[in-house]
Amino acid sequence: MLHYPVSLQDDDGTVFVKSRDFPELTTFGDDVDEAIARAADALEEAIAARIAVGQEIPDPYAGGTRVKVPALTAIKALLYQGMRKQGIGKAELARRLGWHLRQVDRVLDVRHKSRLDRMVLALSAIGLQIEVHARETGSNAQR
């Protein structure tokens, strides 16, 4: 899972949010919870925009209040980052998978609800795999 730090600032009764990792991300909320929820949506949009124009998606900096990226968005970002690091374009990924270019576009589209098995195949084609871990949340953890 990707968790990006954000800074929260009081702005005349609202909470203003910005991100060191994504300078283009700014949003606000009436309170901290709303600001963080809006930050998660804005972060997802920032990642989608960077993929669409071929820009780098940074690894998260340490510190700050952390905002979690939805799991499917995180997987798509990791696929995109892996492709960039290895110099693999969409056409090459399509060739490796035996897919049409449109199918590759969908697995990289944050707004498309790709199936997990398709994401696993795409990651495998560039030598990556998904590892799944579960842990109890604070309210359900045994004491």
Side-chain angles (χ1 to χ4, degrees):
M1 210 50 104
L2 293 176
H3 293 81
Y4 283 92
V6 295
S7 64
L8 306 173
Q9 301 170 351
D10 180 46
D11 186 31
D12 292 328
T14 61
V15 179
F16 180 72
V17 182
K18 61 183 182 176
S19 168
R20 177 178 173 189
D21 296 303
F22 294 90
E24 66 272 25
L25 184 154
T26 57
T27 191
F28 68 94
D30 290 334
D31 56 36
V32 171
D33 289 339
E34 182 181 1
I36 290 173
R38 287 186 177 190
D41 290 341
L43 182 56
E44 192 170 31
E45 287 301 316
I47 290 170
R50 286 189 178 209
I51 290 173
V53 298
Q55 291 180 333
E56 181 180 346
I57 298 172
D59 290 329
Y61 281 102
T65 301
R66 311 296 279 184
V67 175
K68 180 172 57 172
V69 175
L72 185 56
T73 299
I75 293 168
K76 288 175 182 259
L78 293 169
L79 172 63
Y80 174 77
Q81 287 173 313
M83 289 171 64
R84 281 182 55 93
K85 285 178 186 172
Q86 296 178 37
I88 297 170
K90 292 191 288 186
E92 174 59 18
L93 183 62
R95 186 193 66 74
R96 290 181 183 191
L97 291 164
W99 291 357
H100 297 285
L101 198 52
R102 241 178 104 183
Q103 292 171 288
V104 171
D105 286 337
R106 285 194 295 260
V107 297
L108 290 169
D109 182 354
V110 170
R111 291 169 193 90
H112 184 267
K113 301 300 180 198
S114 301
R115 293 182 356 210
L116 184 57
D117 63 330
R118 304 297 274 176
M119 298 307 305
V120 168
L121 284 172
L123 285 165
S124 179
I126 64 167
L128 299 175
Q129 67 182 15
I130 294 175
E131 293 183 8
V132 178
H133 302 274
R135 62 181 173 165
E136 294 186 20
T137 60
S139 61
N140 294 329
Q142 294 180 348
R143 300 183 195 276

